[in-house]
Amino acid sequence: MAVKTANKPTKNTKKASASQSSKFTKDTYVKWYKDMLLIRKFEEKTGQLYIQQKFGGFCHLYIGQEAIVAGTASACKEGDKHMTAYRDHAHPIALGTDPRVLMAELYGRSTGCSKGKGGSMHFFDKSKGFMGGHGIVGAQIAMGAGVAFAEKYAGTDNVAFVSMGDGAVRQGALHETFNMAMNWKLPVIFIIENNNYAMGTSVERTTNVTDLSKIGLSYDMPSRAVNGMSPEAVHEAIAEAAERARKGDGPTLLDIRTYRYKGHSMSDPQKYRSKDEVAEWMEQDPIEHCLRVIK
Amino acid sequence: MRNVQFREALREAMSEEMRRDENVFLMGEEVAEYNGAYKVSQGMLDEFGPKRVIDTPIAELGFAGIAVGASMNGLRPIVEFMTWNFAILAADQIINSAAKMLQMSGGQYSCPIVFRGGNGTAGQLAATHSQSFEAFYAHVPGLKVITPSNPYDAKGLLKAAIRDNDPVVFLESEKMYGDKGDIPEGEYIIPIGVADVKRKGKDVTIVSFGKIMKVAFEAAELLAKEGIELEIIDLRTIRPIDYACVVESVKKTNRCVVLEESWPLASISSEISYHLQRYAFDYLDAPVMRVTQTDTPFAFSPTLIDEALPNVERLIKAVKQTLYRN
């Protein structure tokens, strides 16, 4: 039976975006639109090919969550580093990796971004600062802080962006890392791609603290919730956090509330949520939203 | 030559490499202000400062992961675990992250990192504090595993480990930190993957590593009085194993006993035994024997410890079995 979820979509109205659009140029909207559409189409094609058994392994699609990587990509700079978990197809695309080398990786080819050694869950592109693609839930949280550690050690103003799902918040690695990242003021931004489901288990069923933006507070980490269906909101939150990190003021936790339209992986029957819930979130689709603003 | 403690040899290796390469740093519990739980890093905070000698909270998984990420991004961390028993909490980062990164990223990211600390039994510390991890980590492709048995080897191998571009598991012993040995004045490096014949002999080959080797040396002295000459091989590196050295020795002696501090199942002794029956079958005059810890969690009582650990008596008995003598 589907359960009520704490997260509700925030409306992306054209009116709201028109008022916000003064902050962002039409070029920015066009860039977001193109990036997100490319990701959406890549993922739709990936899903089709997977069903046709063109390649094997696990396959986790990013459809619905595109505004997070689009808003991050527009707010970061060259030299910044990016790391995520296994739902990793969108990040390198947003950073400019040729989708063909990603598709080659899905096919297990030596021409793939990880030479066919990594597959869907382990994309890497060093030339774009994309440091994976990691298969163990929460492991990338500590590694990402380590990436930031090296930037601070070298005295750069680069920032490490570490993405995780809402399920990873329950791993001990997160809490150990948050503690050290704050203690050492590491230039790292922790991004929860909060789609409200750890595979089939909703946030509400695994914790009493359903507002994940509060998780950082016990480490005195600046933390906030962000509308993940809005590239504008993501961009602004990322830019603010990055500025703080570049100044040497340490980490930020962003609980970016989003939704995946598809199942956890390609083999997910999605019995844990209602069609109405999915439809409600799809009404706030970030790609449609950008198109409305551009028009 | 200088006569130094094992811990001093390790400290010299780390300090020399940190002077040589700005990107090498040391992190772990109590390594800085406390000067090391076992005083391995004594004085290093004073020389290198808090940027490069870093105290961590008690969070093995977290700081191992931070080290792995730092190693992917240009640094060469040395991670000290107070003991390897506690590093079980960090096994995800060692096995799932560090060991896999170079291969999984298609060669784009390596993890030049050394994980080091006390390993094996260390007196009456009971079951959770007495485990040996050679076989655990040697099982994993992508890791290198080193177990030195004396200060000279410890320094040369640790320097090689720090310069290596792969993650290295470096297994020491609380019981060895005070051991003394001679090391040369100048710099030297011992290559990873090369075993060392610590004693020449013609009758039976003993293959061993780490602090339990002392049992072999003692047995060799006693057996020499009976006219039995042991050839003692110190593997030094457990992954990759120098199989050629072992096979060459057995071709000469035709008999082998593997002496290992840890448990028998899926152990280094079972691996060596397999390799000898496969590659030295026609040279063996007796089945390969082994002396290991008993197949139980390690106990607290001294009486039970004596029963559990390999000792001279058990080794001599095994050697004589390969010679068909009583």
Side-chain angles (χ1 to χ4, degrees):
Chain A
M1 197 185 82
V3 294
K4 286 273 179 206
T5 60
N7 291 351
K8 286 285 168 198
T10 310
K11 285 219 156 92
N12 273 330
T13 62
K14 186 168 181 185
K15 199 177 168 195
S17 59
S19 65
Q20 282 181 324
S21 66
S22 58
K23 295 185 196 165
F24 298 100
T25 64
K26 187 170 181 183
D27 284 351
T28 302
Y29 277 98
V30 170
K31 175 81 166 65
W32 284 336
Y33 178 72
K34 283 183 171 173
D35 283 355
M36 292 193 292
L37 193 61
L38 180 59
I39 292 164
R40 178 77 52 95
K41 293 296 171 193
F42 181 91
E43 293 291 65
E44 285 173 354
K45 179 54 81 178
T46 296
Q48 282 172 16
L49 294 167
Y50 187 83
I51 288 166
Q52 293 168 22
Q53 298 185 314
K54 298 286 187 189
F55 48 82
F58 288 150
C59 184
H60 310 86
L61 302 181
Y62 203 75
I63 292 172
Q65 305 184 186
E66 295 91 343
I68 301 178
V69 291
T72 302
S74 62
C76 71
K77 72 170 183 63
E78 203 175 322
D80 288 345
K81 306 295 188 294
H82 303 262
M83 196 180 259
T84 189
Y86 47 79
R87 194 179 303 283
D88 64 348
H89 300 174
H91 305 73
I93 295 176
L95 295 169
T97 302
D98 182 349
R100 285 173 294 189
V101 304
L102 304 177
M103 191 57 79
E105 186 63 30
L106 293 175
Y107 274 79
R109 302 269 175 90
S110 62
T111 48
C113 62
S114 305
K115 296 191 173 159
K117 306 277 180 70
S120 168
M121 297 190 288
H122 310 110
F123 283 2
F124 288 84
D125 185 353
K126 192 170 188 175
S127 69
K128 305 292 181 194
F130 183 63
M131 303 182 73
H134 297 277
I136 305 297
V137 173
Q140 82 282 6
I141 302 170
M143 283 188 276
V147 169
F149 179 99
E151 296 294 346
K152 182 176 172 139
Y153 191 98
T156 74
D157 68 346
N158 296 331
V159 169
F161 296 92
V162 191
S163 303
M164 69 199 84
D166 45 275
V169 170
R170 306 299 159 210
Q171 287 280 28
L174 175 133
H175 297 273
E176 295 185 16
T177 302
F178 275 20
N179 183 49
M180 281 179 276
M182 279 304 292
N183 197 16
W184 299 342
K185 284 210 173 341
L186 301 181
V188 56
I189 298 168
F190 299 105
I191 298 167
I192 306 174
E193 296 174 343
N194 181 356
N195 62 31
N196 212 59
Y197 292 97
M199 200 163 157
T201 305
S202 68
V203 169
E204 290 69 31
R205 291 177 56 212
T206 51
T207 182
N208 292 341
V209 185
T210 55
D211 181 352
L212 302 188
S213 69
K214 289 181 180 170
I215 296 290
L217 299 181
S218 59
Y219 304 97
D220 285 345
M221 190 183 295
S223 306
R224 58 179 282 201
V226 180
N227 175 12
M229 304 309 274
S230 159
E232 301 98 322
V234 173
H235 179 107
E236 284 173 355
I238 293 280
E240 183 199 342
E243 190 186 341
R244 180 161 48 242
R246 292 190 213 288
K247 277 195 307 194
D249 290 343
T252 301
L253 172 64
L254 299 177
D255 169 12
I256 305 189
R257 290 166 186 186
T258 183
Y259 206 77
R260 59 169 156 74
Y261 301 170
K262 303 290 181 181
H264 162 75
S265 69
M266 291 300 293
S267 56
D268 176 3
Q270 301 179 58
K271 288 185 176 163
Y272 48 85
R273 63 185 189 184
S274 69
K275 289 200 167 77
D276 288 348
E277 183 185 299
V278 179
E280 192 183 354
W281 280 89
M282 286 177 73
E283 280 171 23
Q284 307 308 322
D285 188 73
I287 301 178
E288 293 297 322
H289 162 66
C290 281
L291 189 59
R292 282 197 299 271
V293 175
I294 294 164
K295 280 178 175 171
Chain B
M1 297 293 262
R2 291 172 299 130
N3 196 252
V4 302
Q5 287 187 346
F6 201 106
R7 59 166 62 83
E8 295 172 297
L10 294 170
R11 186 187 312 144
E12 285 186 17
M14 292 193 289
S15 297
E16 286 175 17
E17 292 307 301
M18 284 176 68
R19 285 174 208 129
R20 178 178 173 268
D21 184 348
E22 275 286 315
N23 289 328
V24 179
F25 69 96
L26 172 66
M27 74 191 314
E29 293 152 8
E30 310 290 4
V31 298
E33 300 205 356
Y34 194 84
N35 278 305
Y38 294 100
K39 300 291 172 266
V40 174
S41 58
Q42 191 156 38
M44 288 180 67
L45 175 64
D46 290 342
E47 178 176 354
F48 299 104
K51 182 188 171 187
R52 299 181 69 196
V53 181
I54 303 162
D55 280 327
T56 66
I58 303 170
E60 282 81 6
L61 175 61
F63 67 73
I66 286 173
V68 170
S71 75
M72 291 173 71
N73 200 18
L75 301 184
R76 306 183 79 86
I78 305 167
V79 176
E80 177 174 309
F81 294 118
M82 202 176 290
T83 90
W84 276 94
N85 300 287
F86 311 156
I88 292 178
L89 290 154
D92 174 53
Q93 288 294 346
I94 299 170
I95 295 172
N96 278 325
S97 299
K100 309 290 189 282
M101 205 62 69
L102 183 67
Q103 186 256 18
M104 200 169 66
S105 66
Q108 293 177 81
Y109 290 101
S110 60
C111 291
I113 182 168
V114 178
F115 299 104
R116 47 159 291 269
N119 175 64
T121 65
Q124 287 183 264
L125 301 182
T128 60
H129 282 56
S130 303
Q131 301 165 97
S132 301
F133 290 90
E134 287 88 357
F136 277 83
Y137 289 110
H139 193 60
V140 182
L143 296 177
K144 288 171 179 164
V145 181
I146 296 172
T147 305
S149 67
N150 65 36
Y152 173 81
D153 289 346
K155 180 176 177 184
L157 284 163
L158 184 53
K159 283 171 71 78
I162 293 167
R163 293 188 193 187
D164 200 273
N165 285 330
D166 290 321
V168 178
V169 168
F170 199 91
L171 303 162
E172 303 156 10
S173 165
E174 299 95 311
K175 286 286 220 186
M176 282 199 293
Y177 287 135
D179 287 359
K180 295 195 102 176
D182 288 338
I183 63 172
E185 293 293 338
E187 182 174 70
Y188 67 97
I189 289 184
I190 297 174
I192 295 170
V194 180
D196 186 37
V197 179
K198 288 279 194 286
R199 182 185 173 112
K200 289 261 184 204
K202 62 177 177 24
D203 295 322
V204 180
T205 299
I206 307 296
V207 179
S208 190
F209 47 89
K211 76 168 183 293
I212 204 71
M213 293 208 65
K214 291 171 186 172
V215 169
F217 298 132
E218 208 178 321
E221 291 298 322
L222 293 172
L223 286 167
K225 290 174 189 161
E226 299 181 36
I228 299 169
E229 295 296 335
L230 298 186
E231 174 139 306
I232 301 176
I233 294 176
D234 180 355
L235 288 178
R236 298 198 294 198
T237 301
I238 310 300
R239 185 184 186 94
I241 290 182
D242 187 353
Y243 293 111
C245 175
V246 176
V247 169
E248 280 312 303
S249 174
V250 170
K251 281 182 178 177
K252 181 176 71 178
T253 62
N254 313 112
R255 295 160 213 278
C256 183
V257 179
V258 188
L259 169 65
E260 180 168 12
E261 187 181 319
S262 192
W263 301 306
L265 186 80
S267 60
I268 305 305
S269 56
S270 41
E271 170 62 21
I272 295 287
S273 304
Y274 163 79
H275 206 85
L276 287 174
Q277 66 81 32
R278 175 66 183 82
Y279 294 102
F281 190 79
D282 292 333
Y283 293 91
L284 287 171
D285 286 345
V288 176
M289 299 294 293
R290 65 178 173 185
V291 178
T292 70
Q293 194 178 131
T294 52
D295 199 10
T296 57
F298 202 67
F300 170 77
S301 149
T303 314
L304 293 171
I305 288 175
D306 287 345
E307 280 300 307
L309 280 179
N311 57 31
V312 173
E313 190 186 350
R314 287 171 62 200
L315 180 59
I316 288 175
K317 190 177 169 194
V319 166
K320 289 189 173 175
Q321 277 182 278
T322 68
L323 292 161
Y324 303 103
R325 288 198 212 172
N326 288 318

